[in-house]
Amino acid sequence: MTHQIFPRQKQVYVKEIEHSGQKLFAYNFKKDKDLFRRMLAFPQIKYLKNEKLLISPADSYILEYLELNNNGEFRIIRSGLYEREVKNLLQNQGTGGDKIEIPKFNLHYKAELKRIKYDEKEYFMLVSDHINVLKDIFKDLEAVVFHRKFASFLLPDSEKFLLTILDACKGKVQIIIHQTVQFKSLYVL
């Protein structure tokens, strides 16, 4: 098994704006012509030439659609969606202001991360009912092996490599970490 180094995933920042009386999502990212063209390929995304803004209707399903259908080319950073609530909370701190709850990203596909000892070696093991989805995600990762006996994926016992796996699954598969998995460092968390 060999380890591979992957280029950093592009990041697209989203925030909610009001334009012509409508609530919209506005998208921002580091200047990148290919990413700009890729974003415009989605039917929900429009470009406002005068304002130089990429926009879509303010619908959380659109964000999920973008993340699930971009082939890992970019990831959506949602922190801008909560700016107003966080500012209001900080301004009202100590005056009985309401608490805010940031919703979790609920993915359809799930996998459980476990540890296993097999052939005298330690491995991380990903168990899932969605084998084909994970095979597609891991197709370029030579170090990830599907093991028929366990009907799961075996990964090298490396927290740095695990970080690569978690990043590859982000926005596509929810990884549930089994309570018996112990990390040697906080690097992954």
Side-chain angles (χ1 to χ4, degrees), residues 16-31:
E16 191 174 298
I17 64 168
E18 193 165 315
H19 184 272
S20 299
Q22 288 184 309
K23 288 190 177 189
L24 302 171
F25 286 151
Y27 302 90
N28 189 14
F29 47 87
K30 195 183 275 188
K31 192 172 184 176

Side-chain angles (χ1 to χ4, degrees), residues 2-36:
T2 59
H3 294 279
Q4 294 180 344
I5 308 233
F6 296 94
R8 203 165 181 171
Q9 197 175 32
K10 296 175 183 178
Q11 296 181 340
V12 176
Y13 297 88
V14 62
K15 68 178 181 177
E16 191 174 298
I17 64 168
E18 193 165 315
H19 184 272
S20 299
Q22 288 184 309
K23 288 190 177 189
L24 302 171
F25 286 151
Y27 302 90
N28 189 14
F29 47 87
K30 195 183 275 188
K31 192 172 184 176
D32 184 323
K33 289 180 183 179
D34 293 331
L35 181 55
F36 180 77

Side-chain angles (χ1 to χ4, degrees), residues 55-66:
I55 58 155
S56 74
D59 187 340
S60 62
Y61 294 111
I62 292 175
L63 299 180
E64 291 179 24
Y65 177 84
L66 293 174

Side-chain angles (χ1 to χ4, degrees), residues 39-50:
M39 291 290 290
L40 284 176
F42 291 104
Q44 303 91 338
I45 305 290
K46 305 289 181 235
Y47 181 63
L48 299 177
K49 193 172 184 178
N50 292 339

Side-chain angles (χ1 to χ4, degrees), residues 75-102:
R75 76 178 207 197
I76 302 289
I77 308 298
R78 292 174 165 78
S79 57
L81 294 178
Y82 311 111
E83 280 179 12
R84 188 178 320 132
E85 288 85 354
V86 171
K87 283 179 185 175
N88 289 342
L89 183 66
L90 291 173
Q91 287 173 351
N92 295 332
Q93 197 171 22
T95 62
D98 293 333
K99 293 182 180 178
I100 61 167
E101 185 175 320
I102 297 174

Side-chain angles (χ1 to χ4, degrees), residues 81-162:
L81 294 178
Y82 311 111
E83 280 179 12
R84 188 178 320 132
E85 288 85 354
V86 171
K87 283 179 185 175
N88 289 342
L89 183 66
L90 291 173
Q91 287 173 351
N92 295 332
Q93 197 171 22
T95 62
D98 293 333
K99 293 182 180 178
I100 61 167
E101 185 175 320
I102 297 174
K104 292 182 180 178
F105 188 59
N106 191 14
L107 297 171
H108 177 72
Y109 303 114
K110 295 179 180 11
E112 186 175 10
L113 179 70
K114 298 180 177 184
R115 262 217 160 100
I116 186 172
K117 190 169 187 173
Y118 178 69
D119 283 347
E120 304 293 324
K121 290 184 181 178
E122 293 274 336
Y123 294 94
F124 285 110
M125 181 169 77
L126 266 180
V127 181
S128 179
D129 292 335
H130 311 286
I131 302 295
N132 290 333
V133 172
L134 288 172
K135 278 185 179 179
D136 191 46
I137 291 170
F138 300 147
K139 66 184 172 201
D140 296 329
L141 301 174
E142 295 175 2
V144 178
V145 177
F146 180 74
H147 199 286
R148 289 182 190 266
K149 179 179 176 183
F150 301 119
S152 61
F153 295 88
L154 296 182
L155 324 167
D157 185 20
S158 159
E159 290 183 20
K160 273 193 163 182
F161 185 74
L162 181 60

